[in-house]
Amino acid sequence: MGLNRTVSLSSALGYKGNGPMLTFILHRIGGVGMAVFLTVHILASFVGGQVGISLNAMYENWLFQIIVFFCVLFHAINGLRITILDLWPKLMVYEREAMWVEWAVFLPLYAFAVLVIVQTALQA
Amino acid sequence: MAAKPRILSVRGRGLNFEMLMWAFTRFTALAMYALILFSLIGALIMGARMNVNFADIMRWAFTPNVTHVQNSTLPDIDAWASAFWKSVATLMILAATSHGVHGLVVVADDYITGSSGRRTVRIISVAFMLFMMFAAIYVIWTS
């Protein structure tokens, strides 16, 4: 079998899901991003040698840290919202408010982390 | 207008593998929260004694492996390479790889919709997950 899809790529990209769609797609990008990062990182550590060392050194780049930390922190905070709402389904009524709380937690934490990462990079 | 939540009982939903994995994803998420907060406390104890920077604390919080802090100025780094912290790191790896590979399968299912394709994705994913678990645990216990 297989699903019969009638949605073209352009109309899929133009889908106006607003806030929930944004968190969904960022959760997905963050999750796949972490999977790629962790795979390369674990394999580099496992293989070792010059290739492993240079791959792991790449991860200490400040730009890379900003991207990886976005993936990790957004996925973690959005995932906690999903987990709480799914395990206590009565709270699902407040889904929109929960998303506001999520952004209110994520943005200052992430801003602080980016500030520290950039400060460390400038000092080095 | 009070929206009445439409929630089926467990029997009504049916208890199958997908349902179990759905719950597994949520519970491993909570388990990783517990492990990260626990490791974060360890990192703060580490950082409170020594001059450990933000990146070291984050690395230790997400996986308490001793190579994550080897560039810091910790003089007693061997104390942090204990079997206890290696066990915590192993638990983190087991939770993260199983949660992550299941997530990749969920993402792949949105684009690969044929049953043979999905079976192939699952076989490759399980093999990949087992290998990554082995590689990560090997790195943790030999570093």
Side-chain angles (χ1 to χ4, degrees):
Chain A
M1 47 157 253
L3 295 174
N4 209 354
R5 305 228 156 183
T6 52
V7 180
S8 68
L9 182 65
S10 57
S11 66
L13 289 175
Y15 174 67
K16 289 184 179 64
N18 296 330
M21 177 65 181
L22 182 67
T23 55
F24 162 78
I25 203 72
L26 288 179
H27 195 77
R28 182 156 282 198
I29 291 169
V32 174
M34 267 194 284
V36 172
F37 160 72
L38 277 173
T39 304
V40 176
H41 178 58
I42 291 171
L43 285 180
S45 309
F46 184 61
V47 174
Q50 203 51 53
V51 178
I53 290 167
S54 54
L55 273 174
N56 280 337
M58 188 178 80
Y59 291 153
E60 292 179 12
N61 182 284
W62 63 276
L63 199 60
F64 203 91
Q65 287 182 341
I66 286 176
I67 296 169
V68 167
F69 201 70
F70 178 87
C71 292
V72 172
L73 194 68
F74 188 83
H75 196 89
I77 290 174
N78 191 50
L80 188 62
R81 172 185 67 85
I82 294 171
T83 304
I84 291 172
L85 293 184
D86 277 355
L87 295 183
W88 287 275
K90 280 179 182 165
L91 297 176
M92 203 59 100
V93 187
Y94 304 106
E95 195 187 15
R96 197 154 286 272
E97 288 82 354
M99 266 172 207
W100 283 108
V101 174
E102 176 192 333
W103 285 109
V105 173
F106 172 77
L107 288 176
L109 268 179
Y110 185 62
F112 173 71
V114 168
L115 184 74
V116 173
I117 290 169
V118 171
Q119 243 177 3
T120 313
L122 289 177
Q123 278 164 8
Chain B
M1 139 209 113
K4 190 175 174 291
R6 294 182 300 150
I7 302 159
L8 285 170
S9 66
V10 173
R11 196 178 292 121
R13 271 173 263 166
L15 197 63
N16 54 23
F17 181 71
E18 298 303 322
M19 165 65 190
L20 286 175
M21 286 312 291
W22 176 88
F24 178 81
T25 309
R26 270 78 189 156
F27 288 120
T28 43
L30 288 179
M32 281 190 284
Y33 255 96
L35 287 167
I36 289 169
L37 289 177
F38 186 76
S39 305
L40 183 61
I41 293 170
L44 292 176
I45 293 170
M46 184 193 281
R49 290 174 181 164
M50 309 301 159
N51 189 15
V52 176
N53 69 22
F54 177 71
D56 287 321
I57 287 184
M58 282 296 113
R59 276 197 288 269
W60 185 269
F62 285 106
T63 304
N65 183 25
V66 74
T67 52
H68 281 165
V69 290
Q70 68 185 2
N71 293 331
S72 67
T73 51
L74 282 175
D76 56 343
I77 197 160
D78 289 341
W80 295 93
S82 61
F84 174 75
W85 284 112
K86 285 178 178 179
S87 306
V88 176
T90 305
L91 284 176
M92 185 67 200
I93 284 297
L94 291 177
T97 41
S98 52
H99 178 105
V101 171
H102 179 251
L104 289 179
V105 171
V106 170
V107 173
D109 276 0
D110 277 358
Y111 306 102
I112 299 165
T113 52
S115 56
S116 66
R118 286 188 168 177
R119 196 180 306 115
T120 313
V121 165
R122 275 156 178 73
I123 292 169
I124 293 171
S125 299
V126 170
F128 170 72
M129 181 182 77
L130 292 176
F131 175 71
M132 292 313 289
M133 282 176 174
F134 165 75
I137 291 171
Y138 177 85
V139 168
I140 287 168
W141 287 88
T142 55
S143 62

